[in-house]
Amino acid sequence: MTELILQRPAPSGTTWVAVCRVDDLEECWGEAALVGHEQIALFRLPGDRVYAVGNIDPRTRAAVMARGIIGSRGTEPTIASPLHKEVYDLAGGACLSGGEGLRAYPVRCRDGMIEVHVAA
């Protein structure tokens, strides 16, 4: 099994929620998932890097970020809203033009399953 490079570790002593199998995520394509009461967008990038951010576009409040456009600024991966093309840092969720950012979630892989930490 390939070991994934996962972003934003959760604080110690937290609870994780299994979302999907690694193989369920197509590379360079987003998938939406409902975790607890939160919609998240999961992305698997080349090199098996996995990111999770909020699926709600901060500008329009539409649940569309999983259909965003994957890109990069330098070596940092980004996601652009499919509606207004606002660009966000995938690792931390910051809006690169200074607007409201996306929430970024800690992600890990255990036994082939992607797990996301969602604060209570």
Side-chain angles (χ1 to χ4, degrees):
M1 180 180 117
T2 302
E3 184 172 329
L4 296 175
I5 301 168
L6 302 168
Q7 310 306 318
R8 290 193 37 106
S12 61
T14 59
T15 304
W16 294 87
V17 178
V19 178
C20 65
R21 299 201 55 76
V22 174
D23 295 339
D24 293 337
L25 298 178
E26 186 176 338
E27 194 171 278
C28 294
W29 189 256
E31 293 294 341
L34 184 62
V35 180
H37 297 292
E38 299 184 46
Q39 288 192 37
I40 62 168
L42 291 165
F43 300 93
R44 180 179 176 189
L45 301 185
D48 281 335
R49 295 175 294 157
V50 177
Y51 297 87
V53 295
N55 193 42
I56 307 300
D57 181 324
R59 187 168 177 187
T60 64
R61 301 294 178 217
V64 296
M65 294 309 295
R67 294 296 164 245
I69 303 159
I70 301 277
S72 64
R73 292 278 170 97
T75 60
E76 298 303 314
T78 61
I79 185 71
S81 168
L83 299 177
H84 292 285
K85 309 308 182 252
E86 198 77 47
V87 179
Y88 302 89
D89 170 45
L90 262 179
C95 178
L96 299 183
S97 62
E100 181 183 352
L102 299 169
R103 180 168 178 196
Y105 297 89
V107 182
R108 72 179 185 187
C109 179
R110 293 185 63 178
D111 300 322
M113 291 293 295
I114 297 293
E115 296 179 344
V116 176
H117 176 262
V118 180

